[in-house]
Amino acid sequence: MQLKSILNRVARHKSFVYGTPRFIEDALRPTIEVPIHPRANGRPICSGCRKPRPGYDRLSERRFEFVPLWQIAVVFVYALRRVDCPCCGVVVERVPWSTGKGRLTTAYQWFLAGWARRLSWQEVASVFHTTWEHVRDSVRHAVRWGLVHRDLSGATAIGVDEIQWRPGHHYLTLVYQIDADCKRLLWIGQERTEDCLRRGLELLGETFCAGLRFVCSDLWQPYLKVLAEQAGGALHVLDRFHIMKQLGQAIDDVRAGEARRLKQDGYEPVLKHSRWCLLKRPENLTDRQTVTLAELLMYNLRSVRAYLHREDFQRFWEYQSPGWAGKFLDEWCSRVMRSRLEPLKKVARSLQKHRSLLLNWFRAKGTISAGIVEGFNNKAKLTMRKSYGFREYETIELALYHQLGNLPQPESTHRFC
Ligand SMILES: [Zn+2]
């Protein structure tokens, strides 16, 4: 079997034929060059209007990198023609294997982008003997294509979340689709502001917002406001993950305050190393941490009381009816309000204030799975960790869309990876 036959099988182009491949020994790495010729009867296609037009002249030969074969680089060599187009003037022709710019063929870009979902970009670059920049460009190409071709119809539930992307107060706003049959990242905003989320929802469109039945977010006021204004028809559900996270932060604040006070009073800093054991649920504690917890319990510490209140709140999520859940919530809040634990009281006040939103969780029961926003949050963090070293916002944006956007790909005759 000849290489030409294989190429015709994996990447056949109607108006072009492959010439005889040659092996280049003296290149930096072993390379197969494949010349491409236009078919004699084919007229070049104008890259502007995409219509067949009379030829004008030919440019000098260019090289287009194709998917490598057995670690041997495969390069197409072709001299682009220019057309004389009555609409677009003298412009270069359109060829099916490349978008015109850049050195990589589209097949190779999809190939690299596919691997960039499985490995870090740096690893992809080193395995396939290419550069990090080429991998990034390939991902960019895949993401742009996917965003244009994705179908947003039928979305009924979204979750809004924020995630830190740089040290300091640098948060991204993320909008996920969280329908049972379709979970994906829909939109990323560079800030965590009211305007930012509003822009995102506007971009997703009025029809999209009108079709929403559930929106899910944390208690952050600006988000609540924008969601009420842009997706007023949807039932707003406060996300379990975010509420438990708030309680976790409150415990942490109580502990930090108490540690400071104990130290001032000359007591041993018992709480200094106990942060994780207070944040963890009892079943997740390791043996050593359990001992620490037992020691802590010997003091009637405020942190321990805060911890017990949080544990108590777990019961809230087990209710079936909004009525009983509401009754539990009221009792829990009044217990906390008597506790003299200021950070926890702050959370209780905010929960009470958003009582009806909180109870929507039980009205939406069964529709939105508890872990879904948390799951996305973890995956987004992992993606950013894997993209360690990405400094620019655009790169992080590309990586997140590529990893979590579940973006479509064009149909092709052959899948290279
Ligand atoms: Zn044209």
Side-chain angles (χ1 to χ4, degrees):
M1 186 191 279
Q2 283 194 321
L3 183 58
K4 243 161 58 170
S5 330
I6 303 175
L7 280 169
N8 275 319
R9 180 146 171 183
V10 299
R12 192 182 177 80
H13 305 300
K14 219 174 71 195
S15 315
F16 299 87
V17 288
Y18 294 108
T20 307
R22 349 174 244 272
F23 198 84
I24 312 292
E25 287 285 8
D26 56 352
L28 281 174
R29 61 185 279 226
T31 301
I32 298 171
E33 275 187 4
V34 186
I36 293 185
H37 310 292
R39 275 188 207 280
N41 53 0
R43 285 218 293 172
I45 308 289
C46 168
S47 60
C49 57
R50 307 206 168 177
K51 293 201 174 91
R53 296 298 186 195
Y56 179 78
D57 63 357
R58 268 193 109 152
L59 303 173
S60 50
E61 278 190 344
R62 253 184 67 187
R63 296 158 65 81
F64 301 88
E65 223 177 305
F66 190 64
V67 182
L69 179 71
W70 303 325
Q71 292 288 22
I72 301 168
V74 177
V75 175
F76 293 165
V77 181
Y78 179 69
L80 288 160
R81 293 169 289 180
R82 287 201 299 174
V83 297
D84 189 4
C85 174
C87 315
C88 317
V90 174
V91 288
V92 76
E93 71 172 315
R94 180 184 143 80
V95 290
W97 60 84
S98 154
T99 53
K101 297 168 215 93
R103 268 178 42 202
L104 310 188
T105 58
T106 21
Y108 190 32
Q109 286 191 311
W110 283 107
F111 175 84
L112 290 176
W115 279 106
R117 255 203 208 106
R118 303 169 173 94
L119 306 172
S120 81
W121 296 6
Q122 194 52 60
E123 282 170 308
V124 176
S126 88
V127 170
F128 297 105
H129 302 278
T130 185
T131 62
W132 185 90
E133 284 75 15
H134 277 159
V135 178
R136 183 210 40 214
D137 293 349
S138 303
V139 171
R140 186 191 281 138
H141 169 258
V143 166
R144 283 190 183 158
W145 195 93
L147 287 177
V148 170
H149 291 86
R150 70 180 173 178
D151 180 11
L152 291 177
S153 64
T156 66
I158 57 164
V160 178
D161 191 18
E162 76 276 318
I163 188 162
Q164 194 179 26
W165 70 285
R166 246 177 25 193
H169 289 282
H170 295 286
Y171 287 88
L172 307 175
T173 300
L174 305 177
V175 177
Y176 304 111
Q177 179 178 355
I178 51 171
D179 282 297
D181 57 343
C182 184
K183 301 180 177 68
R184 57 183 168 169
L185 172 66
L186 290 180
W187 186 77
I188 309 167
Q190 201 178 346
E191 292 149 325
R192 179 188 185 246
T193 60
E194 196 179 311
D195 275 352
C196 184
L197 179 60
R198 186 173 295 123
R199 217 168 42 239
L201 292 175
E202 273 166 10
L203 223 84
L204 290 168
E206 243 171 75
T207 328
F208 174 85
C209 290
L212 294 176
R213 288 178 53 228
F214 299 102
V215 296
C216 197
S217 80
D218 64 5
L219 284 168
W220 201 53
Q221 204 57 47
Y223 281 175
L224 295 180
K225 189 180 150 202
V226 176
L227 285 169
E229 136 202 326
Q230 306 253 351
L235 188 67
H236 195 141
V237 181
L238 292 178
D239 182 63
R240 171 181 175 162
F241 161 60
H242 282 110
I243 290 164
M244 294 321 281
K245 200 167 117 191
Q246 269 197 322
L247 283 171
Q249 273 157 6
I251 294 179
D252 213 24
D253 288 349
V254 173
R255 184 199 59 84
E258 182 156 57
R260 266 197 308 276
R261 226 194 44 240
L262 283 175
K263 203 176 168 197
Q264 269 166 21
D265 298 351
Y267 289 102
E268 276 201 16
V270 236
L271 289 171
K272 213 164 130 195
H273 302 294
S274 59
R275 179 164 182 267
W276 292 111
C277 114
L278 286 172
L279 290 178
K280 275 188 170 174
R281 313 237 19 226
E283 61 269 27
N284 296 338
L285 290 173
T286 62
D287 278 353
R288 248 194 85 213
Q289 286 168 327
T290 320
V291 175
T292 325
L293 183 60
E295 282 168 6
L296 281 172
L297 286 168
M298 286 166 64
Y299 299 74
N300 181 18
L301 294 175
R302 296 156 61 80
S303 310
V304 176
R305 284 193 289 123
Y307 173 83
L308 292 175
H309 280 302
R310 201 268 311 262
E311 276 315 291
D312 192 25
F313 194 79
Q314 293 284 2
R315 274 162 50 206
F316 176 70
W317 308 107
E318 281 152 32
Y319 283 94
Q320 295 295 319
S321 85
W324 286 104
K327 206 163 147 17
F328 172 86
L329 179 66
D330 296 340
E331 284 166 10
W332 185 86
C333 286
S334 63
R335 275 199 299 279
V336 167
M337 293 314 284
R338 287 195 305 269
S339 71
R340 282 171 292 142
L341 298 165
E342 220 23 76
L344 222 55
K345 279 164 77 176
K346 211 173 123 200
V347 178
R349 271 195 292 272
S350 131
L351 293 181
Q352 199 78 71
K353 188 173 149 208
H354 299 105
R355 189 176 187 277
S356 74
L357 286 185
L358 260 173
L359 296 180
N360 279 346
W361 168 266
F362 302 94
R363 300 192 182 102
K365 200 130 197 173
T367 327
I368 294 173
S369 80
I372 181 72
V373 177
E374 181 172 14
F376 268 122
N377 190 284
N378 287 336
K379 276 190 213 153
K381 274 190 209 146
L382 186 72
T383 302
M384 299 212 286
R385 246 204 319 276
K386 254 175 60 181
S387 60
Y388 172 77
F390 291 5
R391 290 275 174 268
E392 284 168 52
Y393 169 70
E394 195 224 350
T395 319
I396 291 175
E397 187 182 62
L398 286 176
L400 287 172
Y401 273 129
H402 192 50
Q403 207 68 37
L404 306 175
N406 196 11
L407 294 170
Q409 280 184 37
E411 291 293 326
S412 59
T413 40
H414 184 80
R415 282 257 146 138
F416 290 93
C417 78

